[in-house]
Amino acid sequence: MPRIGFEWQFPHTDLRFYHQDAGSWHPCGDVPSKGRVFYSENAGIAIESDGGEVEIISDPVETWVALRQQLLFIGDLLTLITGRTVEIERLSPELGKFFAADSNLVVDSESKKPVRMANLQRGVLLPVMMKQGGRLKVGTQEVPPSNKPALTLGTAYGNLLILTLHDPIVQWNFTPAPAAPVVFPRDDRLAVGAPGAREGAKTRGVVQATLDVPLVNLPARLGSFDGAIIERAEAWLKGMNPSPTLYAFVVLLHYSMWVFATQTLTSDDGPKAGFPLLPRTNLRSLYRMVLEDQDRTAFDAKVNNNLTPDVKSGRVCPRPYSLGNKRDLFANPLTIGEWLDSIRHGDPGTAADLDQDVTGMGPRGGDYDKLSPPLGYPAHTPHAARPVGMFTYSMGKMNATRESPAVIVEYRDTQDFGGGQDSLAYEAFANVVVAAARQAGLVVE
């Protein structure tokens, strides 16, 4: 079953976090990465920090109905923060007809204008617009004000959506001690606002879409980045008569090597920023769960018997890459032979070797290959000495299974869906997500 999720990240000029100090709200740029400020379980929408910037993230969904409700939810959210209503005529027809439904409008008691209500979509969020007798009403259920977001209208930063933290926000990234320090405690309050809203500016962010893609469908897309990817994969497979699955798997390996070989990856996002299409699925899991027995036998024979020492000793990452957080570039000594062996056998190490902190210099674990994630980022394999639930880097984080054999890929460049890499206003963002859903195979009614 295909699934789609998305992320929409905003620069500080468009949306940003605010924190209260001495009774006043002030811009706040130091919310740690992956700090979750808000999450709606019903809608499957979170607001998190990415390097201090506001990022809206969706849970992956399998149906057009669920995706449509997520998009409506976000449109409502931005309308209330920015005061700018969605331009329905600029939406795709599939989505626009739901925004046009009169049943989704209520009258704001202060402005006397129709306002779309997110809580009418899934029974969650922003009941402050239905304030009655000092309490907030969600449909027919009354809740204490402290349990739901509040909205402060017309501040110097536009409307502020004030959010009480359900869980503390801690600083995971590159903390040398196992216990990550708490930056914002539970029940602290952060707000999200749009600095340019008072001047009528549109709120724009960069969108990324995450889709499930059958492995055999990847070569055509990966080869479009550089024809040399396909040429090198086919040269590697010469004389093997591979199945379509093994062919696609080898193309995926050469795509990864192409990214690391052709760029010095200096972005604070780390090496993932160099992938126009980022595979988030652990390659070892594809080897174990997606390749058939005959595919693995052929692959193993090639690695064991037909690769020269010069090929095996070549570097997977001949250029350095960033470890994020403005740290120095890192030269990964990983060889092609070591990487291929880790795809076949994992990178188990011993209990003493495995990552016990967040420096990311230990083995990746028996169920992961040596690029899942690359050295310098904490391994996905948990260790008793590390905090439970610690955030780890997205590369190779997801695992293929027999039941779900697809590759989870992140479109970091959404030009295929009409988005490109430029910042998009809501209407263009929503249309990109709908186009991506159509390509993923979700039925768009």
Side-chain angles (χ1 to χ4, degrees), residues 156-228:
Y157 312 115
N159 299 337
L160 287 183
L161 176 67
I162 302 169
L163 302 159
T164 301
L165 299 180
H166 182 270
D167 295 305
I169 294 178
V170 299
Q171 178 63 272
W172 293 127
N173 291 0
F174 314 115
T175 306
V182 174
V183 181
F184 297 98
R186 177 186 172 93
D187 295 328
D188 198 356
R189 296 200 304 170
L190 290 171
V192 178
R198 291 171 66 87
E199 288 74 43
K202 290 185 177 181
T203 302
R204 300 176 182 272
V206 176
V207 61
Q208 297 172 359
T210 302
L211 285 71
D212 291 356
V213 178
L215 178 59
V216 295
N217 290 0
L218 279 179
R221 184 69 185 95
L222 300 181
S224 70
F225 299 122
D226 189 335

Side-chain angles (χ1 to χ4, degrees), residues 36-48 57-59 73 163:
R36 176 165 286 187
V37 176
F38 170 78
Y39 178 63
S40 166
E41 184 175 1
N42 285 346
I45 295 293
I47 298 176
E48 295 184 359
I57 301 174
S58 75
D59 290 344
F73 185 98
L163 302 159

Side-chain angles (χ1 to χ4, degrees), residues 270-287:
K272 70 178 184 181
F275 286 78
L277 186 69
L278 175 67
R280 297 187 61 180
T281 301
N282 163 20
L283 292 169
R284 171 150 171 74
S285 73
L286 291 175
Y287 171 87

Side-chain angles (χ1 to χ4, degrees), residues 22-23 37 54 74 88 90 100 102 110 114 123 144 165 221 236 287 301 374 386 398 403 430 445:
V37 176
V54 174
I74 293 171
I88 296 174
R90 296 185 59 214
D102 290 341
E110 294 187 20
L165 299 180
R221 184 69 185 95
W236 198 91
Y287 171 87
R386 296 194 322 193
M398 312 305 291
E403 295 74 28
E445 300 167 354

Side-chain angles (χ1 to χ4, degrees), residues 62-198:
E62 298 179 349
T63 68
W64 164 235
V65 171
L67 178 63
R68 184 182 75 213
Q69 289 171 327
Q70 289 180 330
L71 293 173
L72 295 178
F73 185 98
I74 293 171
D76 295 345
L77 190 67
L78 287 182
T79 293
L80 290 165
I81 294 174
T82 67
R84 175 182 170 269
T85 57
V86 172
E87 298 177 28
I88 296 174
E89 67 277 6
R90 296 185 59 214
L91 294 174
S92 67
E94 301 93 337
L95 190 60
K97 63 184 179 183
F98 293 99
F99 267 92
D102 290 341
S103 61
N104 291 327
L105 300 176
V106 297
V107 175
D108 173 16
S109 59
E110 294 187 20
S111 68
K112 307 302 182 184
K113 295 180 179 179
V115 177
R116 288 189 44 78
M117 294 295 294
N119 64 300
L120 295 185
Q121 303 303 319
R122 299 300 295 267
V124 291
L125 193 62
L126 304 179
V128 71
M129 300 301 289
M130 299 174 70
K131 191 170 184 178
Q132 294 183 355
R135 294 180 68 81
L136 307 178
K137 191 172 183 182
V138 187
T140 59
Q141 178 185 7
E142 292 189 356
V143 296
S146 61
N147 291 356
K148 288 288 179 180
L151 189 72
T152 300
L153 303 173
T155 73
Y157 312 115
N159 299 337
L160 287 183
L161 176 67
I162 302 169
L163 302 159
T164 301
L165 299 180
H166 182 270
D167 295 305
I169 294 178
V170 299
Q171 178 63 272
W172 293 127
N173 291 0
F174 314 115
T175 306
V182 174
V183 181
F184 297 98
R186 177 186 172 93
D187 295 328
D188 198 356
R189 296 200 304 170
L190 290 171
V192 178
R198 291 171 66 87

Side-chain angles (χ1 to χ4, degrees), residues 306-317:
N306 298 110
L307 294 185
T308 67
D310 285 347
V311 170
K312 287 188 175 183
S313 63
R315 294 268 295 278
V316 177
C317 309

